[in-house]
Amino acid sequence: MLLSLLLLILAPGRQPAGALPKALLLLEPPWSTFFKGETVTLICKDHRLVAWESVSWYHNGNLLKRQPGELEIKKSGYYSCKTQRSSRSDPVYVGFLTDWLTLQASHPVFEGDPVVLRCRGKKEEDIMEKTYYRNGEEITSDGHYKSNITVYPPFDDDSYHCTASREYFWSERTETSKPVKIQVQELFPTPELTASPSQPIEGSPMTLKCETWLPPQTSRFRLQFCFFKERQALGFGWSNSPELHIPTVWSEDSASYWCQARATTSRIMKTSPGFQIHVQRVSVSGVSLETEPPVGQLIEGEDLVLICSAAEGTGTVTFSWHREGSVRSLGRVTQRALSAELRIASVREQDAGRYYCAADNTDGPILSKRVRITLRIPALPPVLTLRAPGAQAVEGDVVELRCEAQRGSPPILYQFYHENIPLGNSLAPSGGGASFNLSLTAEHSGNYSCEADNSLGVQRSEAVPLSVRVPASCPALTLRVPGAQAQVGDVVELRCEAQRGSPPLLYRFYREDIPLGNSSAPAGGGASFNLSLTAEHSGNYSCEADNGLGAQRSEAVSLSISGLAGSISGPIATGITGGLFSALVFGVVALLLYCRRPRKAGGRPTSEPSRSPADSDAREPTYHNVPTWLELQPVYSNVNPKGGEVVYTEVRRGHQGDRPAANSDSALLFWTHLPSRSQAASHRPADPQGSSVIYSQTPAPVHMAHTSVPSRESSGVGAGTPPICAELLSGGSPHPREETHTFQQRHVRTSD
């Protein structure tokens, strides 16, 4: 009975959940019973290793001593130990017996371990044969009569004993041991399931732990674990970890949980008791609405994301989104989360407004605050308008460049360009358009454009052409003749050109402010007008340039036509010359007839011979009483100073001493020199010696032939050049003294 109790206490008790692992008491030698007088060494071991630090030793429940390392004993009793890292071990009974034969079992014995049985006598050498029995039945041995045997006892109350035959004096005697019940220790305690937290909140994580342990001396084993919710396995089944982490639990996860533990290389499996877990639900609160992109940064055409969030709340939450003024919700979603999103694709200007959301987890909807959604609208391509004071843009005008985008969120910055070169910018803080004023010059013609930028993208307008009209400048008139001098019959080119002025230009030509004609210059520049000259075309010429912006008149240019005395005044000059020559001939004939008549008293005889032409070369003839009918009427005409012929009339006066005194009356002799047109005035015949040339108009009753010569300013002839005149003296000269006058008429071409 005592031995049965001894082995029964070898089964460890269940370790309280959360307590330190129990220490393990080992025996050396590893048997449970000894003969009296033998010594046994006790070894205390915790879950890590042999404890060599301070160990508390107990005997029959009382503290025996504190001693590190090991403890040797020789006294029967219940022994236990405790280390700093473990709780007190289960008690082990160590017996010191006085019997001759005893059955020893190996210590300790765990579930599934083999048990070595040794039948031992006080005098082993006297034993001849050993026999082992289980529950009264012999156990087959290995045939060796002195050997130990190994058994695999089930976890039950089997009883074992042994017998030994030995010599007793001269006979054989059989010894029998006391029966032993081998109580196998648990390989590991029955597991217990714990949860952390034990009352989780819905939506929070939870960790399950299957608590058990293996004794240190069973390091050859490994434990595996499996967790269950009701009858459903959790996770991935069997695992080497004694813990299972559940990220999120919900109210429907409230249930009974349990776990199993099993040892590898063994069929020992144990199940924990069930553990009821109640998941608590938290009502939603702190509902808010956010937008992506943030408020004030949403651009028309982008997607708007409405994010509804709850600060607190567990379980399944239903989110809904709403817009003020709309009965129906924009969207609804139910999920196990504290936030949800609603995407509105490609928002437009009409989507602006006040939005809010609601969250509900069966305790009623909780609303968020209202959020005003505004859209930033990118600027459309602007329209550029050019505004000039008049119908046309004229140099010097101030033109207004008006740039306006029909849509676009303010502020809008407008940039103005001329041929892609920036001119300046203008800001429209409240939207709309903006203007830029430009004072026009000729260089401002070209293409204009503008840009609208409200930080959402730059938009360029279409190019608008502008042609700056430049008023015509005062033109310059040039007269071009074929030769050096303008003559009758020539075709003169009147060239009028304004240095500045936008085409087309219309040129008008004038003579003495009388229009002659016009000519157009479509591409600008000058224009010409051809004129075939006649005698009447002398005078002042001018021209006008007109491009619709105001006519400009040139300065007057004088044109004098040569050949008026020779060719231009053909009939006149010829008439004068012919008349003079005819008068001369007629006068000579009259004088000759007169000289043949008998003279009056005091006169010369009529028989005086006439003078020959040779005599006239050596000596000037003297004529008297020129008839009054011989007088010539004066002829007047304008002489072209440029290249025209000037008629000179030369009057010679002889001295009284050079002719007879009887010739007291004066007479005139005419020579008319008509040089060719190419001769210059300087080629006039030389004056005879002792005579003088008078260029003057003689007083009446002398009759003259006049040829008027323009002044230096108008004709180009030297200043002070008098009119050309020719005198004919009629009979009955009023002069008080006799003089001899000789007239020479010369035609000399003048030049500039």
Side-chain angles (χ1 to χ4, degrees):
M1 184 65 181
L2 179 61
L3 187 57
S4 298
L5 292 176
L6 168 68
L7 294 182
L8 182 62
I9 63 173
L10 293 179
R14 178 168 296 170
Q15 181 180 356
L20 291 175
K22 288 183 179 181
L24 179 64
L25 183 64
L26 302 179
L27 307 178
E28 185 59 39
W31 306 104
S32 56
T33 57
F34 300 90
F35 291 109
K36 193 173 181 64
E38 293 181 333
T39 301
V40 177
T41 301
L42 301 180
I43 302 173
C44 190
K45 193 173 183 180
D46 57 24
H47 64 285
R48 291 186 180 180
L49 66 165
V50 175
W52 294 104
E53 71 275 10
S54 179
V55 177
S56 299
W57 301 96
Y58 298 88
H59 180 251
N60 293 330
N62 299 320
L63 179 62
L64 180 61
K65 60 172 60 174
R66 287 185 175 90
Q67 174 180 320
E70 302 172 348
L71 178 66
E72 291 184 353
I73 61 172
K74 294 183 177 182
K75 185 177 179 181
S76 297
Y78 294 93
Y79 290 88
S80 61
C81 67
K82 176 181 174 301
T83 67
Q84 296 178 355
R85 295 183 297 269
S86 64
S87 59
R88 186 186 301 186
S89 67
D90 291 328
V92 175
Y93 183 84
V94 180
F96 295 91
L97 303 178
T98 58
D99 295 341
W100 194 91
L101 185 66
T102 183
L103 179 62
Q104 291 180 318
S106 58
H107 175 80
V109 177
F110 297 98
E111 296 172 296
D113 285 349
V115 178
V116 177
L117 298 178
R118 184 173 74 165
C119 191
R120 181 186 177 202
K122 284 186 177 182
K123 294 182 179 181
E124 278 295 312
E125 67 277 7
D126 293 342
I127 295 177
M128 296 183 300
E129 185 178 4
K130 299 177 181 177
T131 304
Y132 296 89
Y133 298 88
R134 177 173 56 202
N135 297 327
E137 294 182 1
E138 182 179 350
I139 300 174
T140 303
S141 65
D142 57 2
H144 195 284
Y145 66 94
K146 288 186 177 181
S147 63
N148 301 334
I149 65 171
T150 301
V151 296
Y152 293 88
F155 192 54
D156 53 24
D157 293 335
D158 289 346
S159 176
Y160 296 87
H161 72 278
C162 68
T163 60
S165 60
R166 66 183 180 93
E167 292 180 356
Y168 184 75
F169 296 105
W170 296 278
S171 62
E172 182 176 322
R173 184 175 177 175
T174 301
E175 300 286 347
T176 303
S177 69
K178 292 181 178 179
V180 174
K181 287 187 175 181
I182 301 175
Q183 188 70 37
V184 179
Q185 296 188 68
E186 290 180 321
L187 181 59
F188 53 89
T190 299
E192 290 188 4
L193 181 68
T194 60
S196 179
S198 59
Q199 299 295 326
I201 297 176
E202 191 175 30
S204 63
M206 180 179 68
T207 301
L208 300 177
K209 186 175 183 180
C210 193
E211 293 186 350
T212 187
W213 56 278
L214 284 171
Q217 64 273 22
T218 59
S219 58
R220 66 183 184 278
F221 293 104
R222 293 288 183 269
L223 292 179
Q224 291 184 329
F225 304 90
C226 187
F227 298 86
F228 298 87
K229 172 188 173 184
E230 301 296 345
R231 296 183 179 182
Q232 179 182 359
L234 302 177
F236 299 99
W238 291 99
S239 170
N240 292 329
S241 174
E243 296 183 356
L244 175 66
H245 181 72
I246 302 175
T248 309
V249 292
W250 309 105
S251 59
E252 54 267 29
D253 292 327
S254 297
S256 176
Y257 291 78
W258 50 279
C259 69
Q260 286 183 336
R262 71 181 183 184
T264 59
T265 69
S266 174
R267 291 183 290 181
I268 306 300
M269 182 179 356
K270 298 182 180 180
T271 302
S272 72
F275 183 79
Q276 187 67 36
I277 296 177
H278 177 69
V279 180
Q280 300 179 358
R281 168 162 289 186
V282 177
S283 300
V284 295
S285 62
V287 179
S288 62
L289 178 64
E290 297 179 351
T291 65
E292 181 63 37
V295 174
Q297 299 183 16
L298 179 63
I299 301 174
E300 186 181 37
E302 291 184 340
D303 291 353
L304 171 64
V305 179
L306 301 175
I307 305 172
C308 190
S309 303
E312 294 182 351
T314 61
T316 301
V317 182
T318 299
F319 295 92
S320 59
W321 292 265
H322 308 268
R323 179 183 176 186
E324 276 190 351
S326 178
V327 177
R328 299 181 60 183
S329 65
L330 301 176
R332 183 182 299 270
V333 64
T334 301
Q335 60 185 29
R336 289 174 175 174
L338 291 179
S339 65
E341 297 180 356
L342 175 68
R343 180 178 297 271
I344 302 176
S346 300
V347 293
R348 293 291 178 261
E349 189 173 8
Q350 58 268 23
D351 294 325
R354 290 165 60 89
Y355 289 77
Y356 65 95
C357 70
D360 182 13
N361 66 346
T362 69
D363 290 335
I366 305 298
L367 304 183
S368 70
K369 293 182 179 180
R370 269 63 170 171
V371 175
R372 179 175 296 277
I373 302 298
T374 58
L375 277 71
R376 300 184 64 193
I377 303 174
L380 289 179
V383 176
L384 178 64
T385 306
L386 306 183
R387 299 175 181 174
Q392 299 182 12
V394 182
E395 184 181 37
D397 286 350
V398 176
V399 65
E400 178 188 5
L401 282 71
R402 178 73 177 177
C403 189
E404 183 170 1
Q406 296 301 318
R407 294 183 75 240
S409 298
I412 302 176
L413 179 65
Y414 292 96
Q415 183 81 34
F416 298 86
Y417 296 89
H418 174 225
E419 300 294 353
N420 295 324
I421 298 175
L423 295 175
N425 57 61
S426 183
L427 182 66
S430 301
S435 298
F436 181 81
N437 293 331
L438 182 65
S439 182
L440 295 180
T441 64
E443 292 75 14
H444 285 145
S445 293
N447 292 321
Y448 286 79
S449 60
C450 66
E451 286 181 347
D453 183 7
N454 62 350
S455 74
L456 302 178
V458 179
Q459 296 290 338
R460 176 72 72 98
S461 72
E462 293 183 356
V464 177
L466 175 65
S467 178
V468 180
R469 302 275 295 164
V470 179
S473 62
C474 185
L477 178 62
T478 306
L479 306 182
R480 299 176 182 173
V481 297
Q485 302 295 328
Q487 301 180 14
V488 172
D490 286 347
V491 175
V492 65
E493 178 189 2
L494 283 71
R495 178 72 178 178
C496 189
E497 184 171 0
Q499 296 299 320
R500 298 180 74 249
S502 298
L505 289 168
L506 179 64
Y507 292 97
R508 301 183 184 92
F509 298 87
Y510 300 87
R511 175 182 175 274
E512 301 296 349
D513 295 333
I514 298 174
L516 296 174
N518 58 62
S519 182
S520 178
S528 298
F529 181 81
N530 294 331
L531 181 65
S532 181
L533 295 180
T534 65
E536 290 78 10
H537 285 150
S538 292
N540 292 322
Y541 287 79
S542 61
C543 68
E544 279 184 353
D546 187 3
N547 62 352
L549 303 177
Q552 297 291 332
R553 179 71 70 94
S554 72
E555 294 183 357
V557 177
S558 297
L559 175 64
S560 298
I561 303 174
S562 65
L564 290 177
S567 61
I568 298 177
S569 60
I572 300 174
T574 304
I576 295 174
T577 305
L580 291 175
F581 183 73
S582 299
L584 178 60
V585 172
F586 183 80
V588 170
V589 172
L591 286 175
L592 290 176
L593 292 176
Y594 177 77
C595 292
R596 292 177 183 272
R597 293 175 56 188
R599 298 188 58 181
K600 295 180 181 181
R604 295 190 61 168
T606 58
S607 60
E608 184 177 357
S610 62
R611 301 183 64 176
S612 65
D615 294 335
S616 65
D617 293 334
R619 182 178 178 180
E620 295 181 0
T622 302
Y623 299 93
H624 300 277
N625 300 325
V626 177
T628 58
W629 51 264
L630 195 60
E631 66 184 15
L632 298 175
Q633 296 300 321
V635 180
Y636 299 88
S637 65
N638 292 330
V639 178
N640 184 5
K642 295 184 180 181
E645 293 182 351
V646 180
V647 178
Y648 294 90
T649 301
E650 181 178 312
V651 181
R652 295 183 181 180
R653 179 172 57 183
H655 299 285
Q656 291 284 344
D658 294 339
R659 63 178 178 268
N663 298 332
S664 57
D665 296 333
S666 299
L668 296 177
L669 180 64
F670 296 88
W671 287 279
T672 302
H673 298 277
L674 297 175
S676 64
R677 177 174 298 185
S678 62
Q679 290 178 307
S682 62
H683 295 163
R684 189 178 61 207
D687 299 332
Q689 184 177 3
S691 66
S692 61
V693 179
I694 302 172
Y695 301 93
S696 65
Q697 179 178 352
T698 60
V702 179
H703 299 276
M704 301 171 293
H706 297 277
T707 302
S708 299
V709 181
S711 65
R712 178 185 298 270
E713 290 78 2
S714 63
S715 65
V717 181
T721 303
I724 303 171
C725 57
E727 295 183 0
L728 290 177
L729 299 178
S730 62
S733 174
H735 295 288
R737 56 187 176 86
E738 293 183 355
E739 295 179 338
T740 301
H741 298 273
T742 302
F743 290 80
Q744 290 185 346
Q745 192 177 50
R746 299 178 183 178
H747 295 271
V748 180
R749 181 181 299 274
T750 63
S751 60
D752 291 336

